[in-house]
Amino acid sequence: PYVIMSDCIDITDQSCVEECPVDCIYVGERKLYINGKECIDCGACEPVCPVEAISQDRRVPEEQQEFIEDNRTFFSEV
Ligand code: SF4
């Protein structure tokens, strides 16, 4: 699945939300989150993000790995 990283924090542009065909991008308090169980890996969200905060999970750089975990936490709480 795709993951939204730190650059989304306090931006929450939501262009990706409109682009996602399965509506799996959710709005959190300070950033958006992709539900990894619902994401179909289509890639449509990545190019529309104005701050390039979206990446496929296997391409997430080392310093952004915490957002994979942060994402899991978000969906276990909602
Ligand atoms: Fe939605 Fe596709 Fe982005 Fe997954 S990769 S969050 S399905 S737009």
Side-chain angles (χ1 to χ4, degrees), residues 1-4 16-25 33-36 38-46 48 54-56:
Y2 278 62
V3 179
I4 300 177
C16 57
V17 174
E18 283 164 41
E19 217 52 47
C20 180
V22 295
D23 293 331
C24 68
I25 307 178
Y33 295 86
I34 294 172
N35 187 325
E38 297 169 9
C39 174
I40 57 169
D41 259 331
C42 73
C45 54
E46 188 176 359
V48 301
I54 310 178
S55 173
Q56 199 165 22

Side-chain angles (χ1 to χ4, degrees), residues 2 15-17 19-20 28 40-41 46 49-52 63 65-67 72 76-77:
Y2 278 62
S15 299
C16 57
V17 174
E19 217 52 47
C20 180
I40 57 169
D41 259 331
E46 188 176 359
C49 177
V51 293
E52 297 181 20
E63 71 275 11
Q65 286 288 327
E66 63 185 281
F67 288 94
R72 271 192 212 110
S76 62
E77 282 172 359

